[in-house]
Amino acid sequence: MPNYVDYNGLGKVIRKSIIDIVDKAGRGHIGSAFSLVEILNVLYESVLNYRPHDPEWDDRDRFILSKGHGCLALYPILAKKGFFPKTELYKFCAFDGILGGHPEHEKIPGVEASTGALGHGFSIGMGMALRAKIDKKNFRVFVAIGDGESNEGSTWEAALSASKHNLGNLIVIIDYNKYQSYGPVSEVLNLEPYSDKWKAFGFNVYEADMNDPLILEDILQNKINYKCNKPHAVICHTIKGKGISFVENNLEWHHKARLRPEEVQRLKEAIDKEQ
Amino acid sequence: MRKRCLKTIYEMAKLNENIVFIGSDLGQGTLDEFKNEMPGRFFMEGISEQHIISMATGLAMEGKEVFVNTIATFITRRCFEQNIIDLGMTKAKVRLIGNGGGLVYAPLGPTHLAFEDIAIMRTIPNMTIIVCSDADEMERAIKASIDYPGPIYFRIAKGGDPIVSKEELGFKIGKPIIFKNPAEVTLISCGVMVDRALKVSAHFEKLGVNVGVLNCHTLKPLDEDFILNSILSSKIVMTLEEHSVIGGLGSIVSDLIAEKCYHHKVVFKKMALPDVFPEKYGSQNLLIDFYKIGENNIIKELEKLLAMIN
């Protein structure tokens, strides 16, 4: 494990890759993916145990991207790590590609569950974490959910159940970018007091300002006791469309179809200008 | 049937450490012996069917064979998206045990009547659907489910129903069983309607009319060749089911006949529940008679059809 990860530089690489994929495919959830980039980079650079060439290795940590529409952030990272060839990235949503608009477990090495219908991944992950407990395995299960996704009642069914089973090996990471498709989360279906809700459901709760990914890295590497008897919720304060000033918090970019060539250039230049 | 089903799961779990049981909020004392002897594999998760199906999927993806049990309406309708996306797409080895299929919960009203469960579950790719005729057959079916790929929905009857199946006829998932040799008239049925089919057959036998009876316990996947071969000599094919006229056994068989019965013409009749929310209470048997799918109505319909073709 490296001592220092250049999350800023890595973030730019992944974001440019996302722009290239959307440019080629002509569609994609840009805003939802951009807010996830740092979360996934922290997980795949500094936290998860995995073997790209043995994706079913039984002792691997499981990661489920429950907000499957954020898959544009996951695919370039999985390709970079060697789960599948990078050439697949440019067949995103193509007829003969393996990378669909939402990730499928059976098609994509490294994808632990088929997600896209919201409110499923947390419970699937809970089942996996329970299996680790039954079989006395040491792997951990990380599930990334969206803030809008936690509108789903099944999220809270899973929270009750995870807490009941004392699953310290289950970590819910919330991409709290404060926007869902229609508008601000606070207006569509307010989640606050969000942290208190997770605490009330029996979780250890951590909050991370994702402007500094090292905070999340520290929580996941040092703060969380994965052997304890409570599941964990990490509320990541992110920015929808993070990394490009005119995309940030702009719902026009939640899902984008057809980028003009000049837009692609403008987006990439904007990524380079970000500090 | 439910008790025998759960007891069979318990007996199998004692021999197979991979078997896990999940209930929602079942009656007090349900499977206490399982809970006491194998507490690490027994879970009662509360009234949270959506979560339970996804949780079962996660366990199955990790190699467990998961039996999930709750009332048939809730295990099919409430969590349909989880059934189709999680179980169906993943081909998870999860066995759904739906209590009170059909009209069993007649006194409780339409919210608890699973009259359309087969119609909705059969739209799920990779889902197997089994409706057994009695408790003995249910035991054989549960045992046969071990090592069977993909998810299975078992529709469970009330219990205490007459035993009509025979061990010597065996049980294989997907293979209908001939209870009475197909003849000029063949009845194709499943679940508690098999008993009625046999009674109807006996009635006509006394009158010198041979009526065959097929127990089509597996509604999906359907052994099309078996059914088509079985009705080769039949002029009348009638389906009997405790299910809506839309999408159940009658629809399955009529689709097959319409599309693939090239060899000869048959008169086809569905005996099923009408497309309504049952408005009466009482009992399963009373509702079956009220909706004219009981033994006497089947006989009357057959008499009409026989008169028509002769």
Side-chain angles (χ1 to χ4, degrees):
Chain A
M1 200 167 287
N3 292 323
Y4 171 74
V5 177
D6 175 14
Y7 289 114
N8 188 35
L10 263 180
K12 289 182 178 184
V13 170
I14 299 301
R15 285 186 172 83
K16 282 184 186 173
S17 185
I18 292 170
I19 299 298
D20 283 338
I21 295 168
V22 174
D23 181 31
K24 175 79 176 163
R27 62 179 309 118
H29 283 91
I30 291 181
S32 314
F34 273 24
S35 67
L36 265 175
V37 168
E38 275 65 39
I39 293 173
L40 299 189
N41 274 334
V42 167
L43 283 168
Y44 280 89
E45 292 299 327
S46 309
V47 179
L48 298 174
N49 293 312
Y50 56 90
R51 294 176 178 169
H53 299 292
D54 184 11
E56 299 296 317
W57 173 44
D58 199 33
D59 289 329
R60 73 194 184 280
D61 291 325
R62 276 68 167 156
F63 170 68
I64 295 174
L65 180 62
S66 192
K67 52 167 284 188
H69 58 287
C71 60
L72 272 176
L74 180 64
Y75 294 161
I77 292 174
L78 291 179
K80 179 169 167 282
K81 294 296 179 187
F83 282 94
F84 51 79
K86 286 183 180 172
T87 49
E88 285 296 335
L89 293 175
Y90 303 105
K91 291 192 281 178
F92 175 66
C93 292
F95 178 75
D96 59 349
I98 60 168
L99 307 179
H102 295 91
E104 289 185 57
H105 165 69
E106 293 228 329
K107 290 184 183 163
I108 312 171
V111 166
E112 299 281 1
S114 299
T115 55
L118 297 173
H120 294 225
F122 184 8
S123 294
I124 293 171
M126 182 271 164
M128 292 175 170
L130 185 60
R131 179 256 159 161
K133 186 177 171 184
I134 293 170
D135 291 347
K136 298 182 171 54
K137 305 289 283 185
N138 286 323
F139 66 77
R140 304 164 295 177
V141 181
F142 296 82
V143 182
I145 71 170
D147 44 13
E149 180 176 7
S150 60
N151 296 170
E152 293 279 8
S154 57
T155 300
W156 304 101
E157 292 180 359
L160 287 169
S161 180
S163 180
K164 167 189 164 179
H165 289 288
N166 307 314
L167 297 176
N169 60 344
L170 179 63
I171 307 91
V172 182
I173 298 177
I174 301 129
D175 179 5
Y176 197 9
N177 62 32
K178 322 290 189 300
Y179 282 90
Q180 50 197 107
S181 184
Y182 184 73
V185 167
S186 58
E187 292 176 15
V188 176
L189 194 59
N190 187 23
L191 298 171
E192 294 294 343
Y194 202 34
S195 173
D196 289 346
K197 285 188 172 72
W198 287 101
K199 281 178 194 157
F201 275 75
F203 280 62
N204 291 317
V205 181
Y206 306 85
E207 301 208 37
D209 176 354
M210 290 309 295
N211 285 312
D212 181 2
L214 294 174
I215 295 172
L216 177 64
E217 185 190 88
D218 182 48
I219 289 169
L220 297 178
Q221 281 188 347
N222 306 314
K223 298 277 197 311
I224 289 182
N225 174 8
Y226 297 100
K227 300 285 183 192
C228 79
N229 61 3
K230 284 172 81 171
H232 315 276
V234 185
I235 300 171
C236 294
H237 294 278
T238 57
I239 297 170
K240 191 140 188 162
K242 161 90 177 160
I244 301 178
S245 56
F246 57 89
V247 175
E248 288 183 3
N249 298 330
N250 182 348
L251 282 177
E252 283 180 26
W253 290 87
H254 173 78
H255 183 272
K256 201 73 178 171
R258 303 266 175 266
L259 291 175
R260 295 187 303 277
E262 60 272 23
E263 272 184 314
V264 173
Q265 192 57 34
R266 187 172 158 232
L267 285 162
K268 286 186 177 176
E269 285 171 6
I271 290 170
D272 280 332
K273 282 180 194 162
E274 288 290 323
Q275 293 304 307
Chain B
M1 190 186 282
R2 181 177 63 86
K3 281 185 182 164
R4 178 81 77 81
C5 174
L6 297 184
K7 186 169 186 302
T8 306
I9 294 166
Y10 159 70
E11 295 290 348
M12 291 196 314
K14 285 199 288 188
L15 303 172
N16 183 342
E17 288 196 346
N18 256 345
I19 291 178
V20 169
F21 178 85
I22 308 175
S24 57
D25 186 26
L26 304 175
Q28 189 176 33
T30 301
L31 275 181
D32 266 352
E33 62 275 42
F34 194 134
K35 181 182 176 184
N36 294 333
E37 294 170 33
M38 299 166 276
R41 292 188 278 139
F42 177 92
F43 306 106
M44 195 62 68
E45 292 302 299
I47 307 159
S48 56
E49 293 83 4
Q50 297 176 61
H51 163 64
I52 286 173
I53 298 300
S54 299
M55 167 189 170
T57 303
L59 283 161
M61 291 173 83
E62 294 288 336
K64 301 297 179 192
E65 298 213 15
V66 190
F67 287 85
V68 178
N69 180 215
T70 189
I71 291 175
T73 48
F74 309 142
I75 212 169
T76 54
R77 293 176 192 163
R78 182 59 175 241
C79 44
F80 186 71
E81 188 181 87
Q82 281 77 8
N83 285 335
I84 190 163
I85 299 291
D86 297 346
L87 299 185
M89 277 182 73
T90 311
K91 305 186 189 84
K93 281 177 77 174
V94 173
R95 282 71 178 101
L96 305 175
I97 313 291
N99 297 345
L103 302 169
V104 168
Y105 290 121
L108 304 182
T111 58
H112 281 58
L113 297 181
F115 53 82
E116 81 317 337
D117 52 337
I118 291 160
I120 62 174
M121 294 302 277
R122 65 183 274 250
T123 62
I124 300 175
N126 304 315
M127 180 66 70
T128 293
I129 300 173
I130 298 176
V131 184
C132 290
S133 60
D134 60 32
D136 286 4
E137 188 169 271
M138 176 54 68
E139 181 174 337
R140 290 192 279 276
I142 292 287
K143 286 178 177 169
S145 73
I146 289 296
D147 297 330
Y148 191 81
I152 304 174
Y153 170 56
F154 289 97
R155 183 203 244 209
I156 306 288
K158 186 169 68 176
D161 300 300
I163 299 296
V164 296
S165 68
K166 293 179 178 144
E167 189 170 9
E168 60 269 26
L169 295 178
F171 185 93
K172 188 174 177 216
I173 294 175
K175 187 65 75 182
I177 304 172
I178 296 172
F179 275 17
K180 285 272 186 183
N181 283 330
E184 184 181 37
V185 178
T186 297
L187 306 178
I188 303 176
S189 59
C190 62
V192 296
M193 297 302 283
V194 176
D195 175 48
R196 286 165 175 83
L198 289 168
K199 285 175 177 158
V200 169
S201 176
H203 168 86
F204 280 99
E205 195 174 345
K206 284 183 206 153
L207 303 174
V209 180
N210 290 326
V211 174
V213 176
L214 276 191
N215 171 15
C216 189
H217 50 73
T218 305
L219 281 77
K220 188 182 175 184
L222 188 71
D223 190 332
E224 295 185 345
D225 289 342
F226 189 99
I227 303 247
L228 290 171
N229 287 330
S230 299
I231 60 170
L232 273 175
S233 62
S234 302
K235 291 179 183 167
I236 297 171
V237 173
M238 180 183 272
T239 53
L240 313 178
E241 61 187 318
E242 187 194 6
H243 185 277
S244 165
V245 71
I246 297 172
L249 175 66
S251 298
I252 292 168
V253 175
S254 63
D255 277 2
L256 176 65
I257 290 176
E259 200 174 359
K260 294 187 180 169
C261 186
Y262 312 115
H263 32 69
H264 71 302
K265 287 184 181 174
V266 294
V267 173
F268 177 77
K269 174 70 183 171
K270 285 183 201 176
M271 296 294 282
L273 297 169
D275 178 27
V276 297
F277 288 102
E279 59 192 51
K280 302 286 185 184
Y281 302 102
S283 70
Q284 179 186 23
N285 285 337
L286 282 173
L287 283 189
I288 284 175
D289 289 339
F290 180 76
Y291 284 112
K292 297 184 170 42
I293 56 172
E295 197 179 315
N296 291 337
N297 287 100
I298 299 166
I299 289 170
K300 277 184 202 166
E301 282 298 324
L302 264 186
E303 285 171 346
K304 273 194 242 170
L305 295 176
L306 283 164
M308 193 174 79
I309 64 162
N310 289 321

